[in-house]
Amino acid sequence: MKRRNVLIQGVALAGLLMLGACGGGKEGPAAETQAEAPKQEFNIGWSIYAGWMPWAYAEKSGILKKWADKYGIKINLIQVNDYVESINQYTAGKLDGVGSTNMDALTIPAAGGKDTTVLIIGDYSNGNDGIVLKNGASMADLKGRTVNLVELSVSHYLLARALELSGMKLADVKTVNTSDADIVSAFSSPDVTAVAAWNPQLSEIKAAKGATMVFDSSKIPNEIQDLMTVSTATLKANPNLGKALVGAWYEVMEIMAKGDAKANAAIDQMAQLAGTTPENYRAQLKATYLYYKPQEAVAYALSPDIIKHEDAVRQFSFSKGLFGPAATSVDAIGIGFANDKTLGDKANVKLRFDPSFMQMAADGKL
């Protein structure tokens, strides 16, 4: 399974869009903050990853269509083979919504000026991302080494947080940009002694002889989240889109959570749709903390923890230039939360965590 490819192309797009937005042109994402007319048909993008396979099942099972029909709309679920390309297509206005990590939602569409709403907090990485060493048993053994990883991705963020929690900083290591497609073979090279990676590559790497995983994302819960994000303007003009997506998502979550024969059949089908084995997919689900119940996701969205976690993500993102060339402060982009709480520029909120649709699901009002 694959997600979070190199973000450099995304950064480049975000930078161009940010420049366009600052230029005050009438075209592009800046214009999308203006009111939209209601419409009946929507395109939602996704790419293959453990936490997003429920969307594929929702479509194949007819659950997504059932909820779309209920609200009198049509939803086209579009698989985009390249994850960053799916975010770029959304940012460019070709998609109405997309599956995205929290970091990428901030650094690509939001940084590009596209006002984006987090409709569903689906899960967080609970061990699907990790740091693996050769000839080492702890984070202390990482100091002074070169780490191969996908630079400017969540692996880079994971490394920064792991170092911070171990009393070190990024300057204590060197990084080498290595694509997710090459990370397994890179670790087999004698010259490479440390990598940061995500599953399924992580599973192969940590199983190698002499490999020790010294840190994984379970130690920073909720900092690497997988979301369903939608255009704020589109959602405002078409709240039925939000209701249909949330309704379909939690129907699939309810099926998966029961752990019965129907749940097993659904998970098997998700594995098939992902092109992997049921055993492999179940192993990845174990390292993915899915918010099966909307009440739990809403509780997190209303807690102080979400602001703390998003602050850590934005601090790292800004330090790496992921807000684009026009941003001169970590506060340049506003992030909105429930109860009118905000991080950054309140006059430039471009990423909004809105639990209201998940709350409808929790209240049985969809």
Side-chain angles (χ1 to χ4, degrees):
M1 297 185 186
K2 182 177 182 181
R3 74 168 173 174
R4 305 169 189 152
N5 280 328
V6 180
L7 290 176
I8 293 172
Q9 58 185 303
V11 173
L13 176 61
L16 288 171
L17 295 174
M18 176 67 85
L19 288 173
C22 291
K26 295 182 180 179
E27 302 296 330
E32 292 190 46
T33 59
Q34 300 174 5
E36 286 187 4
K39 58 182 184 178
Q40 300 296 314
E41 186 168 350
F42 304 89
N43 295 320
I44 303 297
W46 72 287
S47 54
I48 290 178
Y49 176 67
W52 291 320
M53 293 317 299
W55 287 115
Y57 175 77
E59 182 189 44
K60 290 294 182 182
S61 65
I63 290 174
L64 183 61
K65 184 179 186 303
K66 184 187 79 173
W67 281 90
D69 288 348
K70 177 177 180 178
Y71 288 104
I73 60 175
K74 182 178 181 182
I75 298 176
N76 304 311
L77 192 68
I78 299 172
Q79 181 180 345
V80 182
N81 290 330
D82 184 276
Y83 166 62
V84 168
E85 176 59 21
S86 72
I87 310 295
N88 287 342
Q89 288 187 18
Y90 164 73
T91 306
K94 296 179 180 177
L95 298 169
D96 297 297
V98 70
S100 168
T101 67
N102 53 329
M103 179 174 154
D104 298 335
L106 175 63
T107 59
I108 304 179
K114 185 179 180 74
D115 197 322
T116 294
T117 292
V118 177
L119 185 69
I120 300 170
I121 301 173
D123 70 81
Y124 64 80
S125 177
N126 196 30
N128 264 331
D129 300 77
I131 299 170
V132 182
L133 303 185
K134 293 175 185 171
N135 305 317
S138 70
M139 279 297 298
D141 297 321
L142 190 60
K143 190 168 186 177
R145 294 201 193 197
T146 296
V147 184
N148 288 62
L149 47 66
V150 179
E151 288 187 333
L152 306 181
S153 72
V154 290
S155 286
H156 210 154
Y157 175 76
L158 180 83
L159 174 64
R161 291 288 287 129
L163 289 166
E164 180 183 2
L165 292 173
S166 303
M168 294 182 280
K169 50 187 180 297
L170 274 172
D172 290 323
V173 300
K174 295 180 181 177
T175 60
V176 171
N177 188 40
T178 306
S179 75
D180 60 334
D182 296 330
I183 198 76
V184 175
S185 59
F187 192 69
S188 66
S189 167
D191 297 333
V192 175
T193 64
V195 300
W198 55 74
N199 273 323
Q201 293 91 333
L202 179 63
S203 295
E204 292 186 59
I205 291 168
K206 69 182 184 183
K209 186 178 181 180
T212 301
M213 188 160 73
V214 296
F215 190 91
D216 70 63
S217 54
S218 67
K219 297 174 182 174
I220 52 169
N222 264 313
E223 293 191 32
I224 300 175
Q225 302 162 345
D226 299 304
L227 317 167
M228 173 50 69
T229 60
V230 295
S231 160
T232 299
T234 301
L235 183 63
K236 186 175 182 180
N238 303 277
N240 282 343
L241 171 64
K243 294 176 182 177
L245 287 172
V246 170
W249 176 260
Y250 285 111
E251 182 170 335
V252 176
M253 290 297 101
E254 185 175 1
I255 291 171
M256 293 177 70
K258 287 185 176 177
D260 56 10
K262 186 176 181 180
N264 287 329
I267 291 171
D268 287 351
Q269 188 170 4
M270 290 179 207
Q272 182 182 23
L273 293 168
T276 190
T277 65
E279 293 75 17
N280 188 307
Y281 184 57
R282 282 183 170 80
Q284 294 188 46
L285 282 179
K286 287 182 179 178
T288 306
Y289 188 96
L290 277 161
Y291 283 113
Y292 288 108
K293 296 182 178 179
Q295 295 90 337
E296 192 181 7
V298 170
Y300 172 69
L302 297 175
S303 75
D305 286 346
I306 189 172
I307 297 177
K308 180 177 68 177
H309 296 146
E310 296 311 319
D311 187 39
V313 171
R314 74 173 188 137
Q315 295 284 354
F316 169 81
S317 300
F318 176 72
S319 73
K320 291 299 175 187
L322 298 178
F323 281 6
T328 58
S329 162
V330 70
D331 291 325
I333 301 170
I335 306 174
F337 303 94
N339 301 320
D340 294 325
K341 295 179 180 177
T342 306
L343 279 174
D345 188 351
K346 293 183 179 180
N348 189 40
V349 173
K350 295 301 180 186
L351 184 63
R352 305 169 193 268
F353 286 82
D354 177 5
S356 63
F357 288 86
M358 296 190 296
Q359 185 67 63
M360 291 181 205
D363 294 340
K365 294 182 177 178
L366 290 177

